[in-house]
Amino acid sequence: MEELRSEFLFEMRVEVHPYVPTGATAAGERRIVNIRGGRFEGPRLRGEVMASGADWIRAEPGGRLRLDVRAALRTDDGAVIYLQYQGVRHGPAEVIRRLDAGEAVDPSEYYFRTLLTFETGDPRYDWLNGTVAVGVGRRLPEGPVYRVHAVL
C-alpha cells in the first residue's frame, strides 16, 4: 500500500467576528462564528476569503471543539470556490483557556486539524472538485490560520 503523500496548496488566514453562543445542549455548547474575510495564498491559487459563511462549532465537555465551516473563496483571477471543512481542536485545559481568552498560543501546545473539500464551476479550477485536503491550524486572536495540503 502506498504511503500518504501531499502537496502544499495554500495558507489561509480567516478573520472572524466574536462567536455567538447558542447555549448548552446534550452534545455540548454550540457557537456560531461568522466570517469577516481573509486571504489565502499558494503556488497554484490565491485570493480572498469572502465575507460570507460561518463556523458552526460544537464545544464538547472537556474543551474539545468540533468545527463545521462553510465559506466562499474568490481567486485573484475571479473564480468563486465553495469551501467546506470540518475539524477538531483540543489541548490541555490551561491552553484552551488561553485560546478562548484571545491569547496567541504556540500551535505546538494544542491539536488543530481540518479536512477540506471544494466545489467550483470554473474550469480553471476544476481540479479542486476532485481534491481532498488537510489543514494544520493555529488560532490567532483575529482568527484561524491554516496551512492546507492536498492529499495526493
Side-chain angles (χ1 to χ4, degrees):
M1 193 168 196
E2 188 174 327
E3 279 194 41
L4 184 66
R5 295 181 305 121
S6 67
E7 172 187 0
F8 175 69
L9 281 182
F10 54 79
E11 182 170 284
M12 179 172 66
R13 295 178 173 270
V14 182
E15 299 168 10
V16 297
H17 292 284
Y19 76 82
V20 177
T22 62
T25 70
E29 178 191 358
R30 182 67 68 177
R31 301 173 181 176
I32 301 169
V33 181
N34 290 303
I35 295 171
R36 292 184 344 180
R39 291 281 307 164
F40 64 97
E41 188 161 331
R44 296 176 69 186
L45 67 165
R46 62 183 43 86
E48 68 172 314
V49 177
M50 297 171 68
S52 63
D55 186 353
W56 288 265
I57 295 171
R58 188 176 76 233
E60 297 175 345
R64 182 179 298 121
L65 297 182
R66 299 278 179 185
L67 288 71
D68 184 9
V69 179
R70 309 291 191 283
L73 308 177
R74 184 185 326 260
T75 63
D76 285 348
D77 58 5
V80 175
I81 300 166
Y82 169 73
L83 169 64
Q84 179 177 344
Y85 63 92
Q86 294 164 337
V88 63
R89 189 183 85 194
H90 60 82
E94 175 58 24
V95 171
I96 299 305
R97 184 201 63 71
R98 290 169 40 217
L99 285 168
D100 287 347
E103 293 180 29
V105 177
D106 187 313
S108 68
E109 296 186 53
Y110 57 96
Y111 184 88
F112 189 4
R113 304 291 186 269
T114 58
L115 176 66
L116 301 86
T117 57
F118 309 88
E119 290 179 29
T120 185
D122 192 302
R124 297 171 295 176
Y125 296 97
D126 181 65
W127 58 272
L128 281 171
N129 291 320
T131 298
V132 172
V134 175
V136 177
R138 68 183 187 274
R139 184 62 163 90
L140 301 178
E142 60 275 10
V145 177
Y146 303 98
R147 291 204 39 94
V148 177
H149 291 79
V151 178
L152 302 177

